């Protein structure tokens, strides 16, 4: 383990340690329930009782680089991480950022890029999430880019969940158009993940000429991601001719930004979104057009980097257990989010793995009580 200096007030450390210990105990106690998909109740205060952010979150510790890391602020060894910044998922974003910094050997070398809706683009005060990030991580200097929702509003088709229809869910398509020219590679992460390994390992993957790297799941039933209208159309079905299409989750991707730009991948994804508006060829938001363009043509990385589906299925959000094997990243994709289930006092067992990274003040208060 590489030594690194961390500064933290004891008042901040104590609730986190207590929360981590409680989470471990509850996981052990609920192990048998996990196999059956049974939820284990725990008393939590509802998030509605919290003050407006940024006051709702505790300040995180300051993580420092180890001796083998490049100097803070140096472009050498920089790891670029992109996420969206949405008030509805802010609690998840806080946990994700905290987990990345806690588990990497060179936390000061991680550069965060947040995509937020253009000010007033959704009628809300979009500065609040950014203020919360800066108050919770005062030592970070994140880059923030305003995403214009009108860019995708006419291209979005209704999906199985309203959350999948939000403009920011499509912002990942436009990363290459948004990030500055000096960002040539980026890790894109959804807001419902926690990273429990050094993110530099994922960053250093050899893309071998591909534009995207991600865990690939060839055992999944690929046909279910598209409608009968797609599979019954010979011309559309031929899209995958010459490829072995496998499912991959777009919530965890390493992207060669330069190659994405040169290959015109934004336009290629948009073209499939236009077909969708005419023929209704899929049901799942921004994922299927990525599959249409890239499935069977990505660099596959170890499954440990996306233990996905922990949010349950997209319709009911039922509890799911962990998949076998090592884990570097936990992903609550699907309908159920851990912070909502914990606050509703109906958590799934896997949600206790997320809880130690929760910087929400009321969570620690509920535990202490």
């Amino acid at each position: 383990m590489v030594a690194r200096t961390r500064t933290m007030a004891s008042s901040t450390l104590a609730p986190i340690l207590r929360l981590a210990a409680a989470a471990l105990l509850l996981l052990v106690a609920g192990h048998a329930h996990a196999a059956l998909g049974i939820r284990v109740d725990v008393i939590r205060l509802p998030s509605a009782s919290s003050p407006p952010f940024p006051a709702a979150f505790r300040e995180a510790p300051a993580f420092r680089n180890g001796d083998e890391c490049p100097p803070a602020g140096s472009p050498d060894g920089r790891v670029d991480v992109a996420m969206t910044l949405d008030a509805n998922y802010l609690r998840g974003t806080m946990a994700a950022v905290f987990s990345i910094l806690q588990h990497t050997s060179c936390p000061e070398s991680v550069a965060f890029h947040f995509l937020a809706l253009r000010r007033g683009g959704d009628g809300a005060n979009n500065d609040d999430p950014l203020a919360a990030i800066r108050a919770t991580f005062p030592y970070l200097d994140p880059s923030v880019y305003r995403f214009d929702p009108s860019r995708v509003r006419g291209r979005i088709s209704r999906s199985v969940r309203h959350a999948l229809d939000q403009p920011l869910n499509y912002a990942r398509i436009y990363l290459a158009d948004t990030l500055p020219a000096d960002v040539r590679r980026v890790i894109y992460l959804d807001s419902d993940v926690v990273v429990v390994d050094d993110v530099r390992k994922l960053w250093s993957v050899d893309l071998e000429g591909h534009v995207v790297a991600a865990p690939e799941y060839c055992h999944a039933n690929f046909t279910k991601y598209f409608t009968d209208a797609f599979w019954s159309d010979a011309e559309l079905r031929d899209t995958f001719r010459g490829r072995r299409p496998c499912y991959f989750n777009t919530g965890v991707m390493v992207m060669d930004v330069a190659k994405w730009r040169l290959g015109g991948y934004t336009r290629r994804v948009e073209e499939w979104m236009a077909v969708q508006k005419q023929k209704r060829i899929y049901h799942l938001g921004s994922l299927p057009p990525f599959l249409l363009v890239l499935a069977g043509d990505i660099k596959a990385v170890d499954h440990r980097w996306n233990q996905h589906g922990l949010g349950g299925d997209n319709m009911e959000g039922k509890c799911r257990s962990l998949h076998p094997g090592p884990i570097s990243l936990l992903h609550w994709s699907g309908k159920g989010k851990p912070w909502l289930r914990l606050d509703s006092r109906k958590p799934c067992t896997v949600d206790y793995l997320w809880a130690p990274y929760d910087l929400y003040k009321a969570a620690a208060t509920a535990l202490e009580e």
Side-chain angles (χ1 to χ4, degrees):
M1 178 64 69
V2 177
R4 53 181 190 257
T5 305
R6 305 176 182 180
T7 60
M8 187 181 200
S10 59
S11 60
T12 304
L13 180 60
I16 293 176
L17 292 176
R18 286 194 292 270
L19 189 58
L24 180 60
L25 289 172
L26 287 165
L27 270 173
V28 173
H31 180 71
H33 296 291
L36 299 175
I38 299 174
R39 291 178 174 173
V40 182
D41 285 353
V42 62
I43 297 176
R44 308 275 291 200
L45 293 182
S47 56
S49 65
S50 71
F53 46 76
F57 296 94
R58 304 189 304 277
E59 182 177 323
F63 296 93
R64 303 303 183 193
N65 279 359
D67 292 339
E68 87 293 356
C69 299
S74 169
D76 297 331
R78 188 183 74 188
V79 175
D80 292 293
V81 175
M83 304 178 70
T84 57
L85 192 55
D86 185 339
N88 294 320
Y89 290 86
L90 182 59
R91 191 164 162 189
T93 302
M94 293 289 195
V97 172
F98 186 27
S99 70
I100 292 168
L101 296 173
Q102 187 177 56
H103 291 286
T104 183
S105 298
C106 300
E108 292 179 285
S109 299
V110 180
F112 288 94
H113 304 265
F114 292 110
L115 284 72
L117 284 181
R118 190 181 64 185
R119 190 170 304 172
D122 61 350
N125 181 357
N126 291 303
D127 285 335
D128 283 343
L130 178 57
I133 289 286
R134 287 175 170 159
T136 302
F137 303 99
Y139 48 86
L140 290 184
D141 185 21
S143 299
V144 181
Y145 312 90
R146 296 295 177 180
F147 181 69
D148 187 350
S150 66
R151 188 164 188 178
V152 294
R153 190 159 284 143
R155 296 186 170 100
I156 295 176
S157 300
R158 183 177 54 83
S159 60
V160 296
R161 286 195 296 126
H162 178 65
L164 299 177
D165 303 339
Q166 301 310 302
L168 273 180
N169 190 44
Y170 290 81
R172 72 196 77 189
I173 299 169
Y174 301 92
L175 273 176
D177 305 332
T178 305
L179 298 173
D182 68 322
V183 177
R184 302 186 62 83
R185 172 184 288 215
V186 69
I187 297 174
Y188 175 83
L189 297 175
D190 276 348
S191 296
D192 51 2
V193 309
V194 292
V195 180
V196 294
D197 201 346
D198 194 332
V199 73
R200 295 187 306 162
K201 297 176 184 177
L202 180 59
W203 171 262
S204 63
V205 63
D206 183 356
L207 270 71
E208 300 179 354
H210 296 283
V211 69
V212 163
E216 193 176 49
Y217 302 89
C218 293
H219 63 278
N221 182 2
F222 193 79
T223 61
K224 71 179 183 179
Y225 294 101
F226 303 95
T227 65
D228 291 341
F230 175 86
W231 295 113
S232 62
D233 187 311
E235 183 178 357
L236 295 177
R237 192 170 62 244
D238 281 350
T239 300
F240 297 113
R241 183 181 296 275
R243 290 193 268 165
R244 185 194 178 198
C246 297
Y247 165 77
F248 68 95
N249 184 283
T250 56
V252 180
M253 296 185 291
V254 182
M255 179 185 292
D256 185 326
V257 180
K259 187 177 290 291
W260 183 282
R261 293 178 183 129
L262 289 173
Y265 282 87
T266 297
R267 174 186 52 79
R268 292 165 66 177
V269 173
E270 286 181 336
E271 287 173 352
W272 280 112
M273 293 167 68
V275 173
Q276 163 73 353
K277 294 289 285 188
Q278 297 174 353
K279 299 186 177 182
R280 188 67 179 176
I281 58 174
Y282 55 79
H283 297 303
L284 277 174
S286 64
L287 168 64
F290 266 91
L291 296 179
L292 287 161
V293 174
L294 291 166
D297 190 22
I298 70 168
K299 168 61 178 177
V301 301
D302 197 288
H303 289 174
R304 68 188 303 151
W305 284 104
N306 196 351
Q307 176 87 212
H308 69 286
L310 302 184
D313 63 82
N314 278 300
M315 298 303 293
E316 299 180 14
K318 293 181 179 177
C319 290
R320 291 186 178 178
S321 301
L322 295 176
H323 310 300
I327 299 170
S328 293
L329 183 148
L330 296 153
H331 187 187
W332 277 260
S333 57
K335 181 179 180 181
K337 303 307 173 188
W339 56 92
L340 297 177
R341 293 194 297 217
L342 287 164
D343 286 353
S344 70
R345 304 178 185 179
K346 295 181 179 179
C348 296
T349 306
V350 294
D351 297 340
Y352 298 117
L353 294 172
W354 180 89
Y357 303 98
D358 188 9
L359 293 172
Y360 180 52
K361 286 181 178 178
T365 301
L367 184 64
E368 291 170 357
E369 293 179 351

